[in-house]
Amino acid sequence: MMINKKLSHAGIAALLLLVIAGCGEKPAAAPSNEAGQNSSTVVSGAGENTGNTEGTNGDEGQNSASTAQPTASATPASTEPAAPEKQSQSIAVYFTDSQLMDLVPAKATISFADDVEKYTEAFKALQASDNTELVSLWSKIELKSLKYENGQVLMDIHKPEEAQLGAGGEAFAISALTQTFFQFSEVKSVEMLVDGEQVESLMGHVDLEHPMTRENSGL
C-alpha cells in the first residue's frame, strides 16, 4: 500500500510538472498590422514598377516600330506631256502687184502642230511678202481668233481705218483669202467676223457672204 501511494504521488507530480511546463511556453506573437502594411506596400510598389517597366518597353516597342518603318520615297515630279511634233508644208499665198492690177500667187512654208495652227500660219503668210514687188492685202488687218470645226474655218478679225481699200483692192483681198484657205481640201467654208459680228461688207464695196464657200468661190 505504501508503494502504490508513492507511485500515485509520483505520477501526480509528473503530471503537474508537465502542466506547469506547458503553461510556461509563451504563445507566438501575431504579425503586427504595420508589418502587413509594409508587405502590401512593397508588393504594390513592385507591381507599379513592373507596370512602368512594361509601359517603357511598350514605348520602346513603338519607337522601334516607327524607326523600322521605311521612309516614304520622294514623289516623282510630274512631267508635262511632250508637245506635238510640228510638220512643215509648202503652200500658195496670194498678193497683188504694186498697182493693184492683178492677183499674184507666191510660195510660203508654214510649220504647225494642228489644224488651227495651220490655218493661223496660212493667214500670217498672207500678211507679209518676201518679194518687194508683191503687196499684201492683209498686212494691216489683225487676226483676233481662229477656230476650225467640221470643215469650216471661223475667223474673227479687226480692221483699222488704215487697212481700208478701194473696190478693186477689196475684191482682191477676199479672193486672196479664199484661194489661200480653199487650197486645203478639208476646208469647205470660211466664216469671217469683224470684231465678233457679221458684217455685210468688209470694206463697203463688195458683199461679204456668210459663210464664204468653196462652190461660191469657183474653186
Side-chain angles (χ1 to χ4, degrees), residues 93 184 190 204 218:
V93 288
F184 304 112
V190 177

mmCIF file of all heavy atoms in Angstrom, residues 93 184 190 204 218:
data_model
loop_
_atom_site.group_PDB
_atom_site.id
_atom_site.type_symbol
_atom_site.label_atom_id
_atom_site.label_comp_id
_atom_site.label_asym_id
_atom_site.label_seq_id
_atom_site.Cartn_x
_atom_site.Cartn_y
_atom_site.Cartn_z
ATOM 1 N N VAL A 93 0.244 81.399 -151.373
ATOM 2 C CA VAL A 93 -0.433 82.569 -150.800
ATOM 3 C C VAL A 93 -0.537 83.619 -151.903
ATOM 4 O O VAL A 93 0.256 83.616 -152.856
ATOM 5 C CB VAL A 93 0.316 83.126 -149.568
ATOM 6 C CG1 VAL A 93 0.159 82.199 -148.384
ATOM 7 C CG2 VAL A 93 1.785 83.342 -149.874
ATOM 8 N N PHE A 184 -6.589 73.919 -149.102
ATOM 9 C CA PHE A 184 -6.648 72.786 -148.180
ATOM 10 C C PHE A 184 -7.972 72.061 -148.452
ATOM 11 O O PHE A 184 -9.058 72.626 -148.237
ATOM 12 C CB PHE A 184 -6.580 73.253 -146.727
ATOM 13 C CG PHE A 184 -5.366 74.091 -146.418
ATOM 14 C CD1 PHE A 184 -5.506 75.446 -146.123
ATOM 15 C CD2 PHE A 184 -4.093 73.544 -146.446
ATOM 16 C CE1 PHE A 184 -4.397 76.222 -145.831
ATOM 17 C CE2 PHE A 184 -2.976 74.317 -146.164
ATOM 18 C CZ PHE A 184 -3.125 75.664 -145.859
ATOM 19 N N VAL A 190 -15.492 79.328 -145.119
ATOM 20 C CA VAL A 190 -14.792 80.288 -144.260
ATOM 21 C C VAL A 190 -15.813 81.309 -143.779
ATOM 22 O O VAL A 190 -16.476 81.971 -144.596
ATOM 23 C CB VAL A 190 -13.645 81.002 -145.007
ATOM 24 C CG1 VAL A 190 -12.993 82.048 -144.093
ATOM 25 C CG2 VAL A 190 -12.612 80.002 -145.503
ATOM 26 N N GLY A 204 -16.954 97.889 -147.526
ATOM 27 C CA GLY A 204 -18.030 98.740 -148.030
ATOM 28 C C GLY A 204 -18.264 98.689 -149.518
ATOM 29 O O GLY A 204 -19.138 99.412 -150.024
ATOM 30 N N GLY A 218 -15.862 79.435 -156.750
ATOM 31 C CA GLY A 218 -15.469 78.857 -158.016
ATOM 32 C C GLY A 218 -14.183 78.045 -157.932
ATOM 33 O O GLY A 218 -13.464 77.894 -158.915
#
